[in-house]
Amino acid sequence: MGTLFKNNTETQNISERQMLQNKYNSSRHNLLLIVVFTVVNVILLVTNSNSYFLFSAFIPYFFADIGMYMCGLYPEEYYAWEVTEMEFVDSSFLVVMLVLAAIFVVMYLLSWIFSNKNRVGWLIFALVFFSIDTLGMFALMGFSVDSIIDILFHAWVIFSLISGIVSYNKLKKLPV
């Protein structure tokens, strides 16, 4: 009877361990998706596509958007009345803004790479970095009904990263 109880406890620990590891890995996968979709969104923006994926960071996209806007690379109807009064900057400004966007994306990518093998500090870094991205979104766009899906997405990613961090801490406390 004691052996049955011991095996049941071991099975429970293994399944709990696997569940917590899966949550940690899911958090890491979401981080990778942020990287991929942010890069795709910036490429779609620069190519003047009218598509946008929600699963991305705001600040890198914003940098690319400002670069496109200030260089006058959007269609004329985008500027409306401002075209005749506005002087555009050199296209090197866009390059600088795209480099800034790339730096932000690389920070997320490094967080994903180095959070492998349960190095939770990188997930904590990603959480702080994405929280700053969310605050930047609120500061630059404000809160509007149009941005509710972006807000919900950012909240979900923050929840996912927190869940991964909490799962790691619980996993560390489980007996081997």
Side-chain angles (χ1 to χ4, degrees), residues 12 22 48 108:
Q12 183 180 0
N22 287 345
N48 280 322
Y108 288 116

Side-chain angles (χ1 to χ4, degrees), residues 5-127:
F5 179 73
K6 182 179 177 185
N7 287 339
N8 190 19
T9 304
E10 286 175 8
T11 305
Q12 183 180 0
N13 284 341
I14 291 171
S15 64
E16 184 178 1
R17 179 175 296 285
Q18 189 60 43
M19 180 194 67
L20 293 170
Q21 188 63 50
N22 287 345
K23 283 184 180 181
Y24 182 82
N25 291 337
S26 175
S27 185
R28 288 189 68 245
H29 288 110
N30 287 336
L31 195 54
L32 181 60
L33 285 175
I34 290 167
V35 170
V36 170
F37 283 121
T38 301
V39 169
V40 168
N41 278 343
V42 169
I43 290 169
L44 289 173
L45 179 70
V46 171
T47 59
N48 280 322
S49 174
N50 290 330
S51 298
Y52 176 80
F53 292 104
L54 292 175
F55 213 81
S56 70
F58 172 78
I59 291 177
Y61 186 84
F62 180 75
F63 282 147
D65 184 42
I66 291 297
M68 294 283 292
Y69 180 80
M70 296 299 291
C71 292
L73 297 174
Y74 283 122
E76 282 188 35
E77 59 269 7
Y78 183 82
Y79 299 96
W81 58 274
E82 298 173 1
V83 171
T84 56
E85 302 170 10
M86 189 170 178
E87 290 188 34
F88 299 113
V89 297
D90 187 51
S91 61
S92 62
F93 181 74
L94 175 61
V95 173
V96 170
M97 297 309 277
L98 289 175
V99 167
L100 287 173
I103 290 170
F104 274 74
V105 171
V106 166
M107 298 304 285
Y108 288 116
L109 182 62
L110 289 175
S111 296
W112 174 75
I113 291 169
F114 293 127
S115 66
N116 195 12
K117 304 203 193 251
N118 293 333
R119 290 182 269 182
V120 73
W122 286 97
L123 269 189
I124 294 169
F125 172 80
L127 172 63

